[in-house]
Amino acid sequence: QVEVVESGGGLVQAGGSLRLFCAASRGSIISDNPIGWYCQPPGKQRELVATITRFGVANYADSVKGRFTISRENAKNTIYLQMNSLKPENTAVYYCYLYIYGRERWGQGTQVTVSS
């Protein structure tokens, strides 16, 4: 089976930075489908944060443009989310999604907490 493992979350002060990691255990993350990150704040629905194509073309939610950067290393089956200038409203569980063997694959989630 395909395992998708996330890491990199934690507790930071407002204005700080974190880098999230998401890796697949098998298959390839290269496909024609964009892959990326969602977040789920407490008590809210999941929201799209960022996507990236196989060619490195990225799209971002308006709220994170200029602060977050999505990237990928295909040889490691890994995507990243660099989060800078973090704000308390960015506090959420972050979930990655990949497209492997023709299906979406979701990570287990990693907690990001930003204190004021």
Side-chain angles (χ1 to χ4, degrees):
Q1 63 180 10
V2 177
E3 293 180 307
V4 179
V5 180
E6 300 182 37
S7 62
L11 173 64
V12 297
Q13 293 284 325
S17 297
L18 287 172
R19 195 181 194 202
L20 307 185
F21 303 76
C22 173
S25 64
R26 62 184 297 173
S28 174
I29 66 170
I30 301 174
S31 78
D32 290 333
N33 300 282
I35 56 179
W37 297 87
Y38 278 75
C39 72
Q40 186 168 20
K44 298 182 179 180
Q45 296 292 110
R46 291 188 187 186
E47 300 177 344
L48 184 64
V49 175
T51 64
I52 188 167
T53 72
R54 64 186 296 173
F55 304 109
V57 178
N59 284 283
Y60 300 92
D62 289 341
S63 61
V64 307
K65 287 180 180 177
R67 299 188 297 119
F68 290 12
T69 303
I70 187 171
S71 60
R72 63 193 294 166
E73 288 190 69
N74 294 330
K76 295 183 177 180
N77 271 357
T78 301
I79 64 170
Y80 308 89
L81 186 67
Q82 178 68 47
M83 303 184 293
N84 298 327
S85 301
L86 282 162
K87 303 175 181 179
E89 50 262 46
N90 296 134
T91 294
V93 178
Y94 284 74
Y95 297 89
C96 66
Y97 68 95
L98 309 174
Y99 204 83
I100 302 172
Y101 296 139
R103 294 184 178 182
E104 289 187 350
R105 315 284 178 168
W106 289 84
Q108 83 283 2
T110 185
Q111 176 70 47
V112 171
T113 302
V114 185
S115 62
S116 60

